[in-house]
Amino acid sequence: MKKYLFILMAAGCLAVACEKKGEVLSPDDQKSVIEETAVQAVEAVDLDNWKGTADMLVTSAGVVVNSQPDDAMQDWIGSLNDLFVVSNTGKDYEVMEVDLTKITGEFSVLDDGKIVRTNTRSGLSLGYYLPDDTFCKATATIKNSSTKILIDEDYDREYDGSGNVTKETLRGQQWLIVPSFVDVKLTAAGKTEVRAKLTSDFEIAGNEPRPTDKLSATADISFGGYNLYISRAKYSDTNVELKANFKKGKTSILSATFSAKGKLAFEEDDDLDIMSTDGKVNVTASLMETVDLKGTLDWTAYKRAQNSMNPEAAPTEEGFKAYAAALEKAVNVAVYVDGTAQARLGFEPVVENDNFDLYTVIRFEDGSAYQMAEEFFNPADYGRVLEAVSNLLAKVTEYFDGIKIVDE
């Protein structure tokens, strides 16, 4: 009996595409298109596309790092701890609340390398000139939520002769007021070069986040013509969601959605109890606006299939094939191009001479499947991809190896 074997390398590696709408490609044609699509994705993030912004950031870091606060600003830095101390707490220990909205001022780097702080009552910004006289300005806007998280506790401890703690006295606590909104922007010559807008919403029951709490966030980050937009990131023990898109200009390089609904179970130490967890997972991904990967996992059905195989009993051919069919129903992963399925994940049971093997396979729409991963994903068929990745890594490594920020 012919054996089928395919190792699922990665979601991105399952990318296939076609030039004609609705066309089902042969496996060999898919190899060619996979290579072309992957090369386009790598070229879209080439260093040459974002080197100008990186140069500006590196130069900016050099200007700031090699500057020193003046005396007045030095005194202000030393007073920050006092700024966060909470009075009239009724506690017999010190309580500090790190409130980032209290860090205000217009900071400037002068020609002599001194950093000064003015207009101290509101706003937060830093202005400076690059060596080529380009004026840059970084600004930050922060809004607080009502959530506080315990970040540190300080104790006095007494020990016995064996090193065991005999008495513990709380000396202080540090809390962080979690921002609900952060907007950071860097401009050069009036043009926005980098911007990051973040939101968060925490619903925690205790002093620190636990797996049973609820969290949500968004992020909109732009850099050198690229944009990472996370429009949804939600977590609870019954619902997990993520929706993200990474773009260059108007072209989406990679977008993805993830959702899981059910019930997460946890051990007493908050570690995930995977076999007590139930639910269903849905995943979609798109590469270069050309390829769609869609997958579902019915975790409850997957566990049921696993539990159907008694490890203490000898399997039967009929039972083993039913097990493989149940797995394939529980795990459904397919690649679509223009709404047309091109390939899907499968599980192939093979029984030979009382040996039972289960292989992960890739099934194509022409009815074929691949026995070895090397037959479909061997380096010889993807030389251009490997070369593009190697060139990119070499350029990035050379660039950062040549960076010197601190003046000697």
Side-chain angles (χ1 to χ4, degrees), residues 149-150 202 204-213 215 270:
I149 294 177
L150 181 64
F202 290 9
I204 62 176
N207 294 340
E208 302 172 82
R210 296 190 60 232
T212 50
D213 293 326
L215 316 172
D270 285 346

Side-chain angles (χ1 to χ4, degrees), residues 82-335:
D82 295 336
L83 185 66
F84 298 140
V85 172
V86 182
S87 60
N88 302 320
T89 63
K91 309 290 186 181
D92 56 0
Y93 53 84
E94 183 180 78
V95 177
M96 294 181 59
E97 290 184 354
V98 179
D99 181 352
L100 298 179
T101 65
K102 291 184 177 180
I103 302 177
T104 60
E106 294 182 2
F107 300 84
S108 301
V109 180
L110 304 181
D111 292 340
D112 60 0
K114 291 292 185 180
I115 304 178
V116 298
R117 175 175 178 254
T118 58
N119 190 18
T120 61
R121 294 183 178 275
S122 64
L124 181 60
S125 65
L126 171 65
Y128 56 92
Y129 284 90
L130 299 181
D132 63 0
D133 290 332
T134 298
F135 179 71
C136 297
K137 187 174 184 178
T139 61
T141 301
I142 302 172
K143 297 180 181 179
N144 279 339
S145 69
S146 59
T147 301
K148 294 188 297 183
I149 294 177
L150 181 64
I151 57 176
D152 192 27
E153 289 185 313
D154 185 23
Y155 289 91
D156 272 337
R157 295 182 174 90
E158 297 179 9
Y159 302 86
D160 61 19
S162 300
N164 299 313
V165 177
T166 59
K167 183 178 180 180
E168 192 173 66
T169 304
L170 181 61
R171 292 182 53 195
Q173 287 183 332
Q174 292 184 9
W175 297 76
L176 171 66
I177 300 177
V178 179
S180 62
F181 175 76
V182 176
D183 183 2
V184 179
K185 181 170 64 173
L186 175 62
T187 63
K191 178 184 177 182
T192 300
E193 295 288 348
V194 180
R195 188 165 191 176
K197 292 188 287 187
L198 313 173
T199 70
S200 70
D201 185 10
F202 290 9
E203 296 180 33
I204 62 176
N207 294 340
E208 302 172 82
R210 296 190 60 232
T212 50
D213 293 326
K214 296 181 180 180
L215 316 172
S216 66
T218 66
D220 189 354
I221 303 171
S222 299
F223 169 90
Y226 294 90
N227 175 253
L228 173 62
Y229 184 40
I230 301 175
S231 57
R232 184 184 304 124
K234 298 178 63 176
Y235 167 84
S236 72
D237 58 1
T238 59
N239 184 26
V240 180
E241 296 182 52
L242 175 68
K243 185 175 182 180
N245 195 357
F246 177 57
K247 301 173 67 175
K248 179 180 183 293
K250 296 182 178 180
T251 301
S252 174
I253 299 173
L254 178 65
S255 62
T257 63
F258 174 92
S259 68
K261 296 184 178 181
K263 182 61 178 178
L264 295 173
F266 300 93
E267 306 283 358
E268 291 185 2
D269 60 359
D270 285 346
D271 284 344
L272 182 64
D273 185 347
I274 192 69
M275 295 310 293
S276 297
T277 292
D278 287 292
K280 295 182 179 180
V281 177
N282 291 275
V283 178
T284 65
S286 180
L287 184 66
M288 295 300 294
E289 299 181 303
T290 305
V291 180
D292 291 322
L293 174 69
K294 301 179 182 180
T296 62
L297 168 62
D298 187 332
W299 182 250
T300 304
Y302 178 85
K303 290 194 306 176
R304 189 162 52 244
Q306 293 290 349
N307 292 333
S308 71
M309 297 296 293
N310 186 350
E312 298 181 358
T316 64
E317 182 171 353
E318 181 181 359
F320 192 66
K321 289 182 178 180
Y323 164 66
L327 283 184
E328 193 156 328
K329 186 176 181 180
V331 184
N332 183 6
V333 179
V335 176

Side-chain angles (χ1 to χ4, degrees), residues 68-86:
Q68 296 293 329
D70 68 356
D71 292 340
M73 182 175 166
Q74 192 71 53
D75 291 340
W76 173 77
I77 293 174
S79 69
L80 282 179
N81 279 352
D82 295 336
L83 185 66
F84 298 140
V85 172
V86 182

